[in-house]
Amino acid sequence: MTPLLSVRDLKVHFPIRKGFFRGEIRNVKAVDGVTFDIAPGESLALVGESGCGKSTLGAAVLGMQVPTSGTISFAGEAVRHGESATRTRLSRDIQTVFQDPVAALNPKMSVGDSIAEPLAIHGVGDAKSRAERVAELLRLVGLHPQHAERRPNAFSGGQRQRIVIARALALQPKLLILDEPVSALDVSIRSQILNLLLDLQKRFGLSYLFISHDLSVVRHFADRVAVMYLGKLVETGPTDTVFARPVHPYTEALLSAVPLPDPVLQRTRKRIVLTGDLPSPANPPKGCAFVTRCPLAVDICRLDPPPLVQVGKAQQAACHLRAAAPAQEGLSA
Ligand SMILES: Nc1ncnc2c1ncn2[C@@H]1O[C@H](COP(=O)(O)OP(=O)(O)OP(=O)(O)O)[C@@H](O)[C@H]1O
Ligand SMILES: [Mg+2]
């Protein structure tokens, strides 16, 4: 099956000026050679610490951030950044839901006008049919059609995120980029919003790129997971497999902090605490990006970046010690 989204060796580097008189130009390697696919109807969670490049990757997929190199294709067609035809198509087929629903909604516009805005921009329907669609969308996200008249400040955080989701669905997109969609919400309502998203996904066959640093949320939400570290993917695979048998030491450390549902297992679980700071993406380590914090690191890890290789039926990892590729074995011999 043709993937809905296909990303190949994507790099997004930001030039920054540093040093005396700011004469030295360095590149922040926010995304540094990322490859993955998302199938129609599939959800892929992108996880990793703050600053590892998740949002930059999302912005590139959305066509908002021009990549330094690499390719993105959507529904079999190459995404050419900067082309207005591409922007128009992507702006229908890919929608986003960000962390902060307050910032996402114009406080001066009625909720109905906000939800109808994408329809108006794309010239879909007339005022009457748009009002009907707004009522339908409000019902779909668990709100009342009468709510269309109100301003965003009349709603709670969770309700506002429902409104943002309604607006994201207005144009019947194929892919939603969900960038920490519940992180700003009260813990008690997070699962309601996540369940709504899961429900909508099933109903409309949506694909999700779900960006999160909260692995306990990812476990219940995503079909597959991609673990990102300093601009690179270090492990990918079906969520169940990666949670049960993480291969990369970084994935293992992240997962060791996630509480287990079984209290007996939880008591015996050992937490792996990573020491040292995340290196700067402007000056990443020469070999494996994780080498400065890896408890297993040996010489080869300081010299060569490990490639992402197959470690199971659908699982891949990038680690010299735990995921040796045949070519790499030759190198290290
Ligand atoms: N426009 C920019 N110019 C320079 N550097 C940037 C720019 N945008 C992002 N960066 C840098 O790129 C790196 C990745 O940032 P990004 O926002 O993608 O991380 P993130 O994984 O989404 O983090 P968080 O979990 O905190 O949202 C960071 O070091 C960030 O400072
Ligand atoms: Mg981010």
Side-chain angles (χ1 to χ4, degrees):
M1 198 194 322
T2 311
L4 180 67
L5 176 72
S6 202
V7 173
R8 291 289 170 273
D9 202 16
L10 189 79
K11 296 187 182 174
V12 183
H13 294 178
F14 297 109
I16 46 160
R17 288 183 174 277
K18 285 200 104 168
F20 198 54
F21 292 129
R22 301 169 63 79
E24 183 193 350
I25 297 182
R26 283 217 162 167
N27 276 326
V28 174
K29 295 173 180 167
V31 178
D32 200 24
V34 167
T35 294
F36 67 91
D37 287 338
I38 301 184
E42 183 183 52
S43 57
L44 174 72
L46 189 61
V47 303
E49 282 162 288
S50 183
C52 72
K54 306 180 295 294
S55 296
T56 306
L57 179 57
V61 168
L62 202 58
M64 310 269 282
Q65 176 64 57
V66 181
T68 309
S69 63
T71 59
I72 301 175
S73 51
F74 186 79
E77 269 182 62
V79 170
R80 273 177 269 280
H81 289 74
E83 247 180 31
S84 69
T86 305
R87 280 278 335 124
T88 309
R89 192 169 62 90
L90 287 187
S91 67
R92 287 191 77 124
D93 287 345
I94 309 181
Q95 298 290 327
T96 46
V97 175
F98 292 110
Q99 183 170 347
D100 183 2
V102 178
L105 294 168
N106 183 339
K108 297 200 178 111
M109 267 165 93
S110 75
V111 160
D113 285 348
S114 277
I115 296 174
E117 199 179 26
L119 299 168
I121 290 172
H122 285 264
V124 179
D126 54 18
K128 184 167 174 282
S129 71
R130 287 204 282 264
E132 282 163 9
R133 177 81 175 129
V134 166
E136 183 189 7
L137 287 162
L138 281 169
R139 270 191 227 105
L140 208 56
V141 298
L143 296 171
H144 292 293
Q146 303 94 292
H147 288 161
E149 303 303 320
R150 299 192 193 161
R151 298 280 162 94
N153 65 6
F155 296 90
S156 68
Q159 286 173 321
R160 285 188 215 201
Q161 200 61 313
R162 286 175 193 268
I163 296 162
V164 171
I165 294 167
R167 185 178 58 185
L169 294 177
L171 291 164
Q172 298 181 291
K174 297 191 175 80
L175 171 71
L176 291 194
I177 298 182
L178 306 166
D179 196 342
E180 305 273 7
V182 296
S183 311
L185 304 179
D186 202 276
V187 177
S188 60
I189 51 165
R190 283 182 189 175
S191 60
Q192 292 174 19
I193 299 296
L194 292 168
N195 286 336
L196 171 68
L197 288 166
L198 286 173
D199 205 42
L200 294 167
Q201 184 190 18
K202 264 201 221 111
R203 199 153 161 176
F204 299 112
L206 296 166
S207 298
Y208 288 158
L209 177 61
F210 180 75
I211 298 174
S212 179
H213 60 256
D214 186 345
L215 280 142
S216 50
V217 165
V218 165
R219 171 188 279 156
H220 302 290
F221 194 84
D223 302 315
R224 280 194 306 130
V225 56
V227 183
M228 198 167 178
Y229 188 82
L230 222 59
K232 291 182 160 58
L233 295 189
V234 297
E235 183 154 4
T236 68
T239 307
D240 292 348
T241 313
V242 172
F243 272 70
R245 289 185 302 281
V247 169
H248 199 282
Y250 179 59
T251 316
E252 202 173 36
L254 285 183
L255 287 175
S256 78
V258 180
L260 292 171
D262 182 333
V264 179
L265 284 180
Q266 176 61 28
R267 272 198 293 277
T268 58
R269 133 85 63 93
K270 229 177 114 198
R271 171 106 193 246
I272 304 167
V273 179
L274 290 176
T275 51
D277 290 331
L278 191 68
S280 159
N283 190 18
K286 182 167 168 272
C288 173
F290 188 54
V291 69
T292 54
R293 298 162 85 192
C294 183
L296 310 177
V298 293
D299 286 350
I300 176 102
C301 311
R302 285 176 256 280
L303 296 172
D304 295 317
L308 194 66
V309 297
Q310 212 67 31
V311 289
K313 205 163 140 249
Q315 193 176 9
Q316 298 176 305
C319 174
H320 285 303
L321 298 169
R322 292 187 169 171
Q328 290 296 313
E329 280 164 15
L331 263 181
S332 58

